[in-house]
Amino acid sequence: MLSQHLKAGTHGNSRPPALHMKALVLTEYNHFDLQDVPQPTIRPNEVLVRVQAVGICGSDVHGMDGSSGRRIPPIVMGHEASGIIAEVGSDVRGWTTGDRVTFDSTVYVLDDWYSRRGQYNLSDGREVVGVSTPDFKRQGAFAEFVAVPQHILYAIPDNVTFTQAALVEPVAVALHALSLTPIQVNDSAVVVGSGMIGLFVIQALKLAGCGTIIAIDLDDDRLALAQKLGATHTINARSGDVAKQVQELTHGRGADVSFEVVGAGPTVKTAIECVRKGATVTLVGNLAPTVEIPLQAVVTRQLRLQGSCAINGEYEAALALISSGRINVEAILSAEVPLDEGADWFKRLYAKEKGLIKVVLKP
Ligand SMILES: [Zn+2]
């Protein structure tokens, strides 16, 4: 007995008892518990981040009820986060405790064929923080601490708050979509959907020098916000022939480029109908797995349909644009609340409460 006790005691001395933290756990579909759980332990290439702010993403809200199949419980969700490094692994270089950081929402493998080609967003086996599928589970940031590998970290500029930094991911998604779209100064652009990503696409198009930026949505409040953030024209999709209205604003030709940021059949069709011949239609939204497209219009008008997936290196630019005030992230911030109110806010977002765009939790 005694020797066993000593043995256990030796182990106990070499590794202190696990520290605990508060975490908002999706314990089953549509049900959260604020639990006391062990802090994540870090691998040699990882840092432990004390989370200061974390956004609730649309994909978290859709994932909550099981419909997306990408939040298999139990899981701590949350991939749009910022915080302070609390601990660094033995192989970590260039980062130290106390650093203010945000991180890529995806954990990609550095020696992947795509990563080596500079397309880490397409790399195989890429995992998303705070997501669980049949293939992987990675605990996220709706908690006091989260562990992430060093190669996905970004330093937060001094004048950018943790809340602003928690909103950098959707800005980067918008910048990535622009990077795949041929745009010249004074081009005309249509943005179908004025939700969060759409509003960042509009701001980025203004920075890229577009002369005419046409926002299309069903919600007049969102269209008003789109106008405030850089849209030169707004069209409520209920107001009749949208394509004709766009033509009237674009010399009768249609827009030079369009962006679809909803991901549904009717909006994809609108994005295709609103462009001129030879244009690029960049597809960002992907709610529906399958939509019908007007094939002949795409072929005979020689359109290019360009998919845009997540982010591929746009974090630094997004942080710089927030830092210099050229991208306004506060405009889409609806509420900043403590982590323990998270479950309630999930419910309100799930119920599509009017006027709610982005909610940020503060652990
Ligand atoms: Zn997200």
Side-chain angles (χ1 to χ4, degrees):
M1 273 312 279
L2 185 63
S3 66
Q4 254 181 17
H5 179 78
L6 283 176
K7 235 179 182 172
T10 313
H11 275 271
N13 285 344
S14 63
R15 180 174 292 193
L19 297 166
H20 282 69
M21 65 170 186
K22 270 197 303 183
L24 186 68
V25 185
L26 184 74
T27 51
E28 56 187 288
Y29 287 127
N30 298 311
H31 185 82
F32 287 100
D33 256 345
L34 193 69
Q35 292 182 348
D36 206 34
V37 301
Q39 281 182 17
T41 47
I42 52 170
R43 298 192 193 122
N45 69 331
E46 288 183 335
V47 303
L48 188 69
V49 176
R50 176 183 282 278
V51 181
Q52 298 294 308
V54 50
I56 300 179
C57 177
S59 64
D60 295 327
V61 179
H62 292 301
M64 177 179 81
D65 68 1
S67 58
S68 74
R70 289 179 57 80
R71 299 294 190 281
I72 299 171
I75 176 77
V76 177
M77 304 195 278
H79 56 266
E80 303 175 357
S82 63
I84 302 166
I85 294 182
E87 197 185 329
V88 295
S90 53
D91 290 348
V92 171
R93 298 286 175 270
W95 299 100
T96 178
T97 54
D99 285 351
R100 302 167 77 242
V101 292
T102 184
F103 47 84
D104 202 304
S105 52
T106 62
V107 179
Y108 47 92
V109 185
L110 288 166
D111 62 358
D112 178 79
W113 188 83
Y114 289 101
S115 293
R116 290 197 302 266
R117 285 167 66 96
Q119 295 179 302
Y120 73 75
N121 61 326
L122 305 181
S123 64
D124 292 321
R126 174 175 155 269
E127 299 182 354
V128 185
V129 178
V131 166
S132 55
T133 72
D135 300 324
F136 72 89
K137 179 192 288 252
R138 207 170 250 281
Q139 301 295 352
F142 292 142
E144 287 177 289
F145 293 93
V146 62
V148 292
Q150 63 171 334
H151 73 270
I152 68 167
L153 291 173
Y154 293 91
I156 303 175
D158 287 342
N159 70 338
V160 173
T161 66
F162 287 114
T163 296
Q164 288 173 321
L167 299 169
V168 71
E169 193 241 17
V171 174
V173 166
L175 296 182
H176 183 59
L178 255 80
S179 77
L180 296 168
T181 313
I183 294 170
Q184 291 181 17
V185 173
N186 205 45
D187 268 358
S188 54
V190 161
V191 181
V192 187
S194 291
M196 180 181 59
I197 304 283
L199 293 169
F200 288 140
V201 168
I202 287 167
Q203 294 188 57
L205 288 169
K206 189 179 168 193
L207 292 171
C210 281
T212 304
I213 303 169
I214 304 164
I216 300 173
D217 201 280
L218 293 165
D219 183 327
D220 283 327
D221 292 343
R222 290 196 175 192
L223 287 173
L225 192 50
Q227 193 141 31
K228 192 183 138 201
L229 294 174
T232 56
H233 304 82
T234 63
I235 299 174
N236 189 310
R238 287 188 228 277
S239 67
D241 192 336
V242 172
K244 192 161 163 266
Q245 294 181 63
V246 170
Q247 273 171 19
E248 280 161 13
L249 296 167
T250 53
H251 311 283
R253 289 193 294 264
D256 296 309
V257 293
S258 73
F259 291 81
E260 204 282 347
V261 275
V262 181
T267 42
V268 169
K269 191 162 167 277
T270 300
I272 290 171
E273 286 171 354
C274 286
V275 290
R276 63 163 167 79
K277 285 180 269 189
T280 294
V281 177
T282 297
L283 304 170
V284 187
N286 62 353
L287 272 182
T290 309
V291 299
E292 200 167 273
I293 59 157
L295 175 68
Q296 288 182 342
V298 172
V299 175
T300 62
R301 297 169 57 76
Q302 201 169 294
L303 305 184
R304 185 171 122 195
L305 303 185
Q306 170 71 56
S308 178
C309 172
I311 295 153
N312 187 32
E314 288 84 4
Y315 270 84
E316 263 185 16
L319 284 163
L321 292 170
I322 295 169
S323 171
S324 63
R326 282 177 295 167
I327 291 251
N328 175 349
V329 288
E330 270 86 5
I332 59 110
L333 181 63
S334 312
E336 258 182 287
V337 296
L339 181 67
D340 34 5
E341 290 177 23
D344 287 339
W345 285 91
F346 257 95
K347 261 186 218 146
R348 295 172 66 171
L349 288 162
Y350 191 74
K352 295 193 165 55
E353 185 175 312
K354 196 171 158 47
L356 275 191
I357 303 182
K358 192 56 152 191
V359 175
V360 168
L361 304 181
K362 316 274 305 241

